[in-house]
């Protein structure tokens, strides 16, 4: 087959990608609360889980 490359035009370059938009102050505050809650639960959940497990063991023994 014959391929005519004389009229070949390369595809246009994609526009430069922008980074993510910065968070608004309200979004920053919400994110800080979510992180703080997760940190608090990180320390409370094992204690609560151990209490529930020990309570169930005492209940069935």
């Amino acid at each position: 087959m014959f391929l005519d490359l004389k009229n070949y035009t390369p595809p246009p370059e994609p526009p430069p990608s922008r980074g993510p938009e910065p968070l608004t102050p309200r979004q920053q505050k919400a994110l800080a609360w979510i992180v703080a809650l997760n940190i608090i639960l990180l320390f409370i959940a094992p204690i609560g889980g151990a209490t529930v497990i020990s309570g169930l063991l005492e209940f069935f023994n």
Side-chain angles (χ1 to χ4, degrees):
M1 290 191 129
F2 177 73
L3 180 62
D4 184 16
L5 295 176
K6 291 181 181 177
N7 290 330
Y8 173 75
T9 56
E13 292 188 22
S17 62
R18 298 184 334 182
E21 295 183 10
L23 297 175
T24 64
R26 183 176 179 185
Q27 291 172 332
Q28 290 176 358
K29 187 176 180 180
L31 184 62
W33 276 105
I34 291 169
V35 169
L37 179 65
N38 281 320
I39 290 172
I40 291 169
L41 290 176
L42 177 70
F43 292 108
I44 293 176
I47 296 168
T51 305
V52 169
I53 290 171
S54 66
L56 288 174
L57 288 174
E58 291 297 322
F59 181 73
F60 289 112
N61 282 333

